[in-house]
Amino acid sequence: MLLRIEPRSEPSKTMKYMSPLIAAVLMLISGIIIFTLLGKNPVEAFHAFFIEPVNDLYGIGELFIKASPLMLIGTGLAIGFRASIWNIGAEGQLAIGALFGGYIAILFNDSNGFFILPLMLLSGAVGGMLWAAIPAFLKTVFNANEILVSLMLNYVALLLLALLVHGPLRDPNGYGFPQSVLFADSAILPILVEGTRLHLGVFIAFAGVFVGWIFLLKSFAGFQIQVAGLAQKAASYAGFQYKKLIWIGLLSGGLAAGIAGVLEIAGPIGQLLPTVSPGYGYAAIIVAFVGRLHPGGIFLSSLLMALLYLGGESGQMNLDLPSAVTGIFQGLLLFYLLAADFLINYRICIGALKKEGI
Amino acid sequence: MSDSFAVMIIVATIASGIRLATPFLLASLGEALGQRSGVLNLGVDGVMLLGAFGAYYAVLQTSNLYLGLLVGIGLGLLIGLFYAFITLNLHAEQGVSGIGIYLFGLGMSDLLFQKLVGTPRPILPFMPLEIPVLSGFPIVGEMLFQHSIIVYIAFALVPIMSFVLHRTTYGLNVRAIGENPEAADSLGVSVMFTRYSAIIIGNGLAGLAGAALAIELGIFQQNLTNAMGFIAIALVYFGAWSPKGVMIGSLVFGLVQSIVLQCKTFGVIPRSASDLASMAPAIITILALVVVAKRFKQPSALTKPYVRGG
């Protein structure tokens, strides 16, 4: 028996949608192996990791809370990724968004007006976009590699946020703890479902994904991005300005990440902390790819990724597994996906080489 | 009196800068080799973390520092093989697949540490190896010739890597494939073999870099590298893909870190300013990327998978 690999005459549509499923299944199998190697009962571990976190209404609410920044950022990044613009800086853009939004909340902590939340969102969006504008500017003017610039800015952003929360933005009556004042009610996203922590931000994220879908698949700029991603030369013959696409690609990610940062601090956290994200900016890259860079797919994959985060927390509490397991799953999911994507353009055949007509 | 004290501090700062530059240098030499062959590996930090943990654990168990270095290299080679397979055979997107390696390495090293070690126990680092005669010189001797063996290995690799890249057939192949794989292939150079070997060796060096870091610090903890691997990637751009350039970049970074550390210890500058200074590596990197992008060209085939006739 011979195994052969041959190119497909055209990319397989089926495999494009099957490959995330294959990747998820392989990830689960690897997970079971890892749990077993750690001396845990695999069935029990599987239950604690993937079922227990979401077997009640509260858990479902938590799932959506965790998924919302991921789906929002994933959609924003997908717009850039489709044009082959690699924004790896969402983690920093999120931190700056949180910083800008949180500053508004602290500034207006004594007043309560309906304007505070919208202003926080706007300010966070501007912050995220400003941070993403740096790699866009350096790429368009100096041709500096956007992957590395956006990545490096993550560290600058995280240090900047921590520095300000340790210093000027610290709660003066907080006994020196590095955290801001607790936000007033008018700066907190209202909870919508009794018995859960499901807040308005989740629906803002849904709306963001929907807007992303309209933009990407129904607008002319979205069309230009798709063309540029598929065939850069064709795009330039058609007169599409690549520089404009770089700006759109990076700013959309910054916008989404900035808003996601505000949703975090005005949602589950309720104040500014030195760290506001457990790596959502990186996880959202995986979410975007697993979701096939399509807002609908990203919505689904963000739920899977959120489950990995919840599972990590649950495994830590119930099985004494370090939460680091989440990162292992995230990494494995991405590898398996990229590997399975090979099957979109190639097929594996069993049997001897057939004579091929050329 | 205060003059000699100042000299002492300067000497100590430079010596520690050279020590701190070593993991950067090893990792970025490895990354430079891979990029010269046309493959970007964003996972260096993950590889370093796994190498660091492997080395730390091996030394903890056997007290053999050399075994620790070997374990670090071995883990790097293994991940290199895997990375080569997914990028070269399966054409995974190099801009993101390295992030998978990073997240995996970050999680796996932490998991193994918590499960196998639990509470951190220090290991004894290498004793400084004093080069006879040279180490006796005042000032220079203390700065340059009283380091651990791994420092000498790392700096010796700079001329070796230069020689391999510019004076051997293998090096010519690596450079040709990074620029124009079609042409190299048509001349009978195996693109697969060359890229596979460059990636595997490069990751082995990243594993060694992690091992060197863990042994130098004598400890392991979660996220020990704290993004050193990402800076190492940027140093390749900083050094314009040449071993010598990468060495200069690593030394600059080592020195910056060392100065920041000294300032923190002596409290010369207020805390907020030293926090600001912690941003220096990332900001210098960005500035360097801007300057380099203007003046040097990256290998033409970087991040492009090679398909014959494709």
Side-chain angles (χ1 to χ4, degrees), chain A residues 157-287:
Chain A
L158 296 179
L159 284 165
L160 189 66
L161 175 65
L163 178 68
L164 293 175
V165 174
H166 275 99
L169 295 181
R170 189 171 60 189
D171 180 4
N173 306 316
Y175 307 102
F177 283 110
Q179 53 193 36
S180 77
V181 289
L182 285 171
F183 294 167
D185 283 347
S186 51
I188 296 282
L189 291 158
I191 287 177
L192 297 181
V193 180
E194 195 75 26
T196 69
R197 296 200 299 161
L198 202 71
H199 57 74
L200 183 63
V202 175
F203 293 91
I204 296 176
F206 288 168
V209 174
F210 184 70
V211 170
W213 180 72
I214 300 273
F215 175 78
L216 205 46
L217 297 156
K218 304 286 172 207
S219 76
F220 184 57
F223 172 72
Q224 289 180 311
I225 282 171
Q226 310 229 31
V227 175
L230 292 171
Q232 218 180 90
K233 273 195 184 134
S236 69
Y237 289 143
F240 302 165
Q241 288 180 316
Y242 190 55
K243 285 193 176 175
K244 195 178 109 193
L245 298 184
I246 292 173
W247 278 98
I248 294 176
L250 278 156
L251 289 187
S252 56
L255 170 70
I259 292 176
V262 177
L263 298 188
E264 283 305 294
I265 54 161
I269 301 178
Q271 64 187 142
L272 264 185
L273 296 176
T275 322
V276 290
S277 148
Y280 287 144
Y282 296 109
I285 298 170
I286 303 175
V287 166

Side-chain angles (χ1 to χ4, degrees), chain B residues 71-87:
Chain B
V71 169
I73 297 174
L75 283 170
L77 296 176
L78 206 65
I79 304 168
L81 183 67
F82 175 76
Y83 188 69
F85 178 71
I86 63 165
T87 50

Side-chain angles (χ1 to χ4, degrees), chain B residues 256 260 269 272-281:
Chain B
V256 168
V260 170
I269 49 176
S272 55
S274 75
D275 278 343
L276 268 182
S278 315
M279 296 178 193

Side-chain angles (χ1 to χ4, degrees), chain B residues 106-215:
Chain B
L106 180 63
M108 195 49 124
S109 59
D110 189 22
L111 174 70
L112 291 173
F113 176 66
Q114 294 199 29
K115 284 290 142 189
L116 297 177
V117 184
T119 44
R121 276 171 287 159
I123 53 174
L124 283 179
F126 278 109
M127 295 302 288
L129 188 69
E130 298 189 4
I131 306 279
V133 186
L134 291 175
S135 64
F137 281 112
I139 300 180
V140 179
E142 199 180 321
M143 266 194 301
L144 303 181
F145 300 108
Q146 296 182 13
H147 288 290
S148 76
I149 180 155
I150 185 74
V151 175
Y152 303 123
I153 294 177
F155 282 87
L157 277 172
V158 175
I160 294 174
M161 185 78 88
S162 276
F163 180 83
V164 169
L165 275 176
H166 295 282
R167 296 274 182 275
T168 65
T169 317
Y170 175 74
L172 180 67
N173 291 348
V174 168
R175 287 183 295 131
I177 282 167
E179 290 298 336
N180 191 341
E182 288 80 11
D185 191 23
S186 73
L187 293 172
V189 178
S190 167
V191 177
M192 270 295 170
F193 169 80
T194 311
R195 284 194 173 161
Y196 252 93
S197 56
I199 296 171
I200 290 174
I201 296 169
N203 278 278
L205 286 174
L208 177 63
L213 180 70
I215 289 176

